[in-house]
Amino acid sequence: MTRVTFQSGTQHVADVAYLPVGKREQTKVQNRQAILDAAREVFGELGVEAATVRDIIRRTGLAAGTFYNYYRSKDEVFAALSDDGARRFAPILKSLRHKGHFDGFVREAIVAYFEFMADEHNSWAARRPEGEIQPHIQGETPEMKAVFAEVKAAIEDAIAEGRGPASDTEYMTAACIGIAREVGDRMLARRPIDTASAADFAVEMILNGLKGLPGAMRGA
Amino acid sequence: MTRVTFQSGTQHVADVAYLPVGKREQTKVQNRQAILDAAREVFGELGVEAATVRDIIRRTGLAAGTFYNYYRSKDEVFAALSDDGARRFAPILKSLRHKGHFDGFVREAIVAYFEFMADEHNSWAARRPEGEIQPHIQGETPEMKAVFAEVKAAIEDAIAEGRGPASDTEYMTAACIGIAREVGDRMLARRPIDTASAADFAVEMILNGLKGLPGAMRGA
Amino acid sequence: MTRVTFQSGTQHVADVAYLPVGKREQTKVQNRQAILDAAREVFGELGVEAATVRDIIRRTGLAAGTFYNYYRSKDEVFAALSDDGARRFAPILKSLRHKGHFDGFVREAIVAYFEFMADEHNSWAARRPEGEIQPHIQGETPEMKAVFAEVKAAIEDAIAEGRGPASDTEYMTAACIGIAREVGDRMLARRPIDTASAADFAVEMILNGLKGLPGAMRGA
Amino acid sequence: MTRVTFQSGTQHVADVAYLPVGKREQTKVQNRQAILDAAREVFGELGVEAATVRDIIRRTGLAAGTFYNYYRSKDEVFAALSDDGARRFAPILKSLRHKGHFDGFVREAIVAYFEFMADEHNSWAARRPEGEIQPHIQGETPEMKAVFAEVKAAIEDAIAEGRGPASDTEYMTAACIGIAREVGDRMLARRPIDTASAADFAVEMILNGLKGLPGAMRGA
DNA sequence: GATGAATGAGCGTTCATTCAT
DNA sequence: TATGAATGAACGCTCATTCAT
C-alpha cells in the first residue's frame, strides 16, 4: 500500500511559481494565493453558502476591488479551490486505476480519499492561531468536495467497466459513495484522526456488501 | 410487509379543513398552504440556505407583509415543513421499532423511507406546471431531510441497543445512512421510480456489509 | 387658596355618558375611552414619537381596524388627550383670571398647574399593576403638555394686559414658563411629590425675578 | 466681557481640511460634511426622533449605502453633531468656571450660550435656499442641545459648589435652565437676533430671582 | 360597528460590483 | 494593478391603513 502525503493547497500553488519572476508576478501570485487561503478559511468557518466575498477579502487585507482582478465571484474561488484539490488528488487516483484488482482498487481509493481528507483537515485547522477564540467551524472544504467527486467518478468507472461485481452498477456506486462519505465525515470528528481504521471499516463494508449482492461477483 | 401510502403535505393539510368555515378562514388556510408550497419549491430549487423569505412570498403572489402573518422567519417555515414530514412519518417508523429482528427492522425502515421519498417527490413534481422551463433543482425538501433524520435516529438506536451487530457502531450507522441516502437519491432520478428494487438493493448491501464485519454478527 | 382636585381622564369621559344610552352607544364610549387610556399609557411609556398605533390598539384588546372608527391617526388621539386635559383645566384657570392681583394670579396658576401635573402623574402611575415589571417610563402626557400651553397662554395674557410688570413681556412670559416647566418636571421626580413647596419656590423665583427687572413693577 | 465668535459646524470642519489632498480625500470630506449638513437640516425640520437615516441620505443625493461608509446609525450622526457643538463650546465655558464670582459666571455663561445659539441658528438658516418653501421647522439642532447640556452642567456645578445662593439647589438649577432655554428660544425668533439684550434680561431675571429666595444669598 | 388579514410603502442594513484615482 | 468609496438592488421586517366579512 502506497503511503501518500499531500501538500496543503497553500504550498502547492506557491510551488507552481517555479520560474524566476519579476516583483509584479510575485505579488500577483501572492495575492491570488492569499485570496484562496482566506476563502478556504471562510468557507470552512461559515460554510460556502453563508460566506460572502467581503468576508474573504476582509481576511486578506487586500482592497475590495482587488478581489475582482483575480476572480469574478465567490463561485469562481470555490471552483478554483475545488480544482486545486482535484488536481492534487487526480494523479494518485489515476495510478490506482487499471490495476486490475477491484478489491485493491477500492481499498487504495478509500485510503487515499481518507488521507486526503485528514490532511486537508489538519493543515486547515493547524493554520489557525492557538490563543484565539475558535470561530464556529463547518469543516467541509471545496477541496474535499472535489476529491469526493473524483473518487466517485473513479468508482463509477471501475464498476461500470465491470471490474467490480455486476449488478445494478449505479446503485452499487451510490452505496460505495455513501459509505465513503458518511464514514469519512465521522472519521474527521474523532481525535486522533485514524484514517487506517476508518478505511478498514469502509472497505470491509463495501466489499462484503457488494459480494453478497444477488447478481454478484464477477470481479477481475 | 405492510404497504403504506403517504399523503402529500398539500393534501394532508387541506384534508384537515374538514369543517365548513367562513371565507376568511378559508383564505387563511389557503395562504398558509400557498406559503408552504412556495417554500417547498424554493427550497428545492435554490436550496434552503440560498432561499430568501422574499423568494417564497414572491412566488405566492401575496404581499410581502403577509408572510409574517403566518411565519416569523424562513426557518419557521422550514421547521413547519420538517414537522409535517416527520409527523407523517413518525408513526410508521415507531411501529417498526422493538420488533426484535434487526434484519426485518432495517428492511422495513428502508422501505418506509424510500416510499416516503418517492411519494414526496411525486407530489412535489406533480404540482409543477408542465410547459414551464424547469428551474435548476436541488431536490431535497425539508420533509425528506426530516424523515432522513428520523431514519438515522432509528438505525442509530437499533445498532446502539445491540440489536444489530457489534462493531464500531458509529461507523456502522454511518455506513447504513450513507447507503440509504445515496441509493435513495438515485432512485428518485429514475423513471419509473421503483422503490421496491431500490430497497432490495440497499437492504442487501447493508445487511451483507454488516455481516462481514470483523467483530460481527450478534444481531437478533 | 382654593384647593382643587382633578379627576383622571378616564373617569371624566365616563362621566360624560350621563344620559341613558343603548348598548351600542355604551360600547362606543367604552371603546373610545379604552383607546384613550391605552394611548395615555403608551405615550407615557414609549414617548409620543416612538409610540405606534399598533402599540395602542394592542393594549386595548380591540381589533386593529377598530381604531380607525374612532380616530384617524396617532396624532388625533394625541390631540384628543390634549383637549381632554385642557378642557378639564381651563375652568380652573379661567376662575383665576381677572382677579386683579398679579402676584396672586401667578401663585394660583402655578399651584393649579403643579397640582394638575401631580394628579395626572399619580393617577397614571396608579393604574399600573403592582407586580408587573415596570416598563421604561417617559412620563410626560399629552394632558400635561396641553395644560402647560394653557398656563402659558394665561401668563402671556396677564403680562400683556399689563397686570404684570412692564418690561419685555415676551421674555417675561418665557422666563415664567421656563421656570414653571423645569421646576415642575423636577417636582414629579421626587418622592413624595410635594406640590406646595415646589410652587412656593417657583412663585418666589418668578415674582422676585420680575420685580428686579429694569423697567419693572407696575403691577396691579 | 470677552466677545466670542463661533464658526459654524460646516466651516469649522472645512477649515480642518487645511492640507492639500487627493480628490478622493476631498470628496470623502465633502460627503461626510454633506451628511452632517443634511442631518442637521432633517433633525431641525422633523425632529431627531422622527428623522430617518433615509431622510438624511436622500437629501444628500448620495446612494443609500454610502451613509454607512461614514456613520453606523442616525444616533452616531447625532452624536457627531453634538460633539461638534460641545467641542466648540466647551473651552469657552471652561474659561468661565472657577472665576469665583457667581453673578459674573452666570452672565458670561448665558451670554456665551445665547451667542452660540444665534450663530448656530444663522449659519443653519443661511445654508437654506431662499426661494424654496420653508418646511416645517422644529429648530433645535443637536449642537444646541449639546451646548445646552453643557451650560446646565456648569450651572448645576456652580450652584452645588455653593458659589451660588444656598436653597433648594435642584430647583434653583431648574429655574435657571428654564429661563435660559425659553428666553433663548424667543430670542431666536426675533429679527434681528439680539443676544445682548436677551442675555441682559435672562441674567437679571435669574439673579434677582435667586436673590429673593428664602434661604438665600451666600454667593461669592 | 367590530374584526383582523392583506396590503405595500418604507425602514435599516448588507453586499456584490464598479471605477476614478 | 491596487485601492476603497460609491452605488443601488435586495434583504428581513414593521407599520399605518383598508376592506371583505
Side-chain angles (χ1 to χ4, degrees), chain C residues 35-162:
Chain C
I35 291 172
L36 289 177
D37 289 345
R40 209 194 325 262
E41 286 181 30
V42 169
F43 287 159
E45 287 167 22
L46 311 179
V48 176
E49 292 269 9
T52 68
V53 170
R54 276 164 114 89
D55 289 328
I56 297 172
I57 200 64
R58 199 177 297 135
R59 197 165 299 212
T60 62
L62 295 171
T66 304
F67 178 88
Y68 295 91
N69 290 336
Y70 294 97
Y71 299 98
R72 268 201 292 277
S73 69
K74 183 180 74 172
D75 286 354
E76 215 171 278
V77 215
F78 181 86
L81 285 174
S82 298
D83 282 0
D84 188 32
R87 202 174 313 112
R88 281 185 283 143
F89 191 69
I92 284 95
L93 205 58
K94 193 176 306 178
S95 74
L96 304 180
R97 307 275 277 272
H98 309 296
K99 276 207 181 168
H101 202 2
F102 182 76
D103 288 16
F105 165 74
V106 166
R107 164 162 301 276
E108 300 203 24
I110 295 290
V111 166
Y113 171 55
F114 281 11
E115 289 190 343
F116 180 89
M117 285 185 83
D119 184 72
E120 186 70 18
H121 183 90
N122 280 335
S123 77
W124 175 61
R127 223 171 310 118
R128 304 213 56 77
E130 288 295 334
E132 261 179 36
I133 286 155
Q134 211 59 348
H136 177 59
I137 284 186
Q138 299 229 354
E140 205 173 39
T141 65
E143 284 94 332
M144 296 188 197
K145 290 186 183 178
V147 168
F148 177 77
E150 294 290 309
V151 174
K152 183 176 144 184
I155 293 182
E156 249 164 16
D157 285 0
I159 290 183
E161 284 169 19

Side-chain angles (χ1 to χ4, degrees), chain A residues 93 113 143-154 156 177:
Chain A
L93 205 58
Y113 171 55
E143 284 95 332
M144 294 189 199
K145 290 186 184 178
V147 168
F148 177 76
E150 294 289 310
V151 174
K152 182 176 144 185
E156 249 163 16
I177 280 310

